[in-house]
Amino acid sequence: MKTSTINDLRMAYRVEGNGEPVLFVHGFPLSSRLWEPMIEPLSPEHSLIMPDLRGMGGSGVTPTASMERYAADLAGVLDAIGEKRPVTLVGMSMGGYVAFEFFRRYRGKVKALVLVDTRAGNDTPEAAKGRRETAKKVLDEGSVVVANAMTPKLFGKAAPEPLVESWRGIMSATSPVGVAAALVAMADRPDSTTTLAKIDVPTLIIVGEEDAITPPAEARTMHAAVVGSKLEVIAGAGHMTPVEKPVEFARILGEFLKSAG
Ligand code: MLT
């Protein structure tokens, strides 16, 4: 991992390979390790940029966050590595929420979009209230609260136990302050539904058939609203498609990257 001071904190990121740039944004409360299975198949022809969002992985922690700040951090990473070309932006789940914000703020930096196991809508008032309560609980009791609540929902039925447990460990080890900040940032995030009709770059939508957190119905809604988008439903996968079905995910993404030029 490399680190650079970006905006107000230390950002950790990995850059692998050579070629057209692809910027990967992980979900909550995960890390850039989500994209590790993409390195071998895709790095020979692409430059893979994989940051840890603030408060997660190896990046610095701040008590508050927002979609706007996460998006600004990503722009900062591109500046830090001198990447001036527009990127294919791949956002998984909360990373998708950040991707919508990045698209709105830095349209010129986006060449194509890949929305992975995510949704365009924001939280209902009840869901937002639940997130704020969970944030308080995490600050009192630790990130294990979120790790234990999320682990059973993250994976499809056939996911191997060691894979599931390794991600429970990664989530549990994430800073409670970073987790709480992300929960509040998600509760406060804007509705991106109206952004869908404004997306004018090649767009791929990927979802696990058994995704219980952002189900295929959400992906179909986005697919219907983004003109010219492509939808891929990965059989036998839950919410964690890049690590549950890495070979299929890399094939689908690789074909899209070729077609998007
Ligand atoms: C994620 O996987 O990033 C989160 O579960 C998304 C969410 O809670 O809305």
Side-chain angles (χ1 to χ4, degrees), residues 5 7 9 11 19 23 30 67 102 105 126 149 163 165 189 199 221 232 241 243 253 256:
T5 300
N7 300 324
L9 88 164
M11 284 287 289
L23 175 59
L30 310 174
M67 294 305 134
F102 190 93
R105 288 180 181 271
E126 301 75 55
L163 179 70
E165 287 312 313
R189 78 185 187 279
I199 294 176
T221 303
E232 293 277 0
T241 46
V243 290
L253 180 54
F256 176 73

Side-chain angles (χ1 to χ4, degrees), residues 3 22 44 90 104 121 129 156 194 199 231 246-247:
T3 58
V22 186
V90 184
R104 287 190 289 266
K129 185 165 171 273
T194 55
I199 294 176
L231 172 65
V247 175

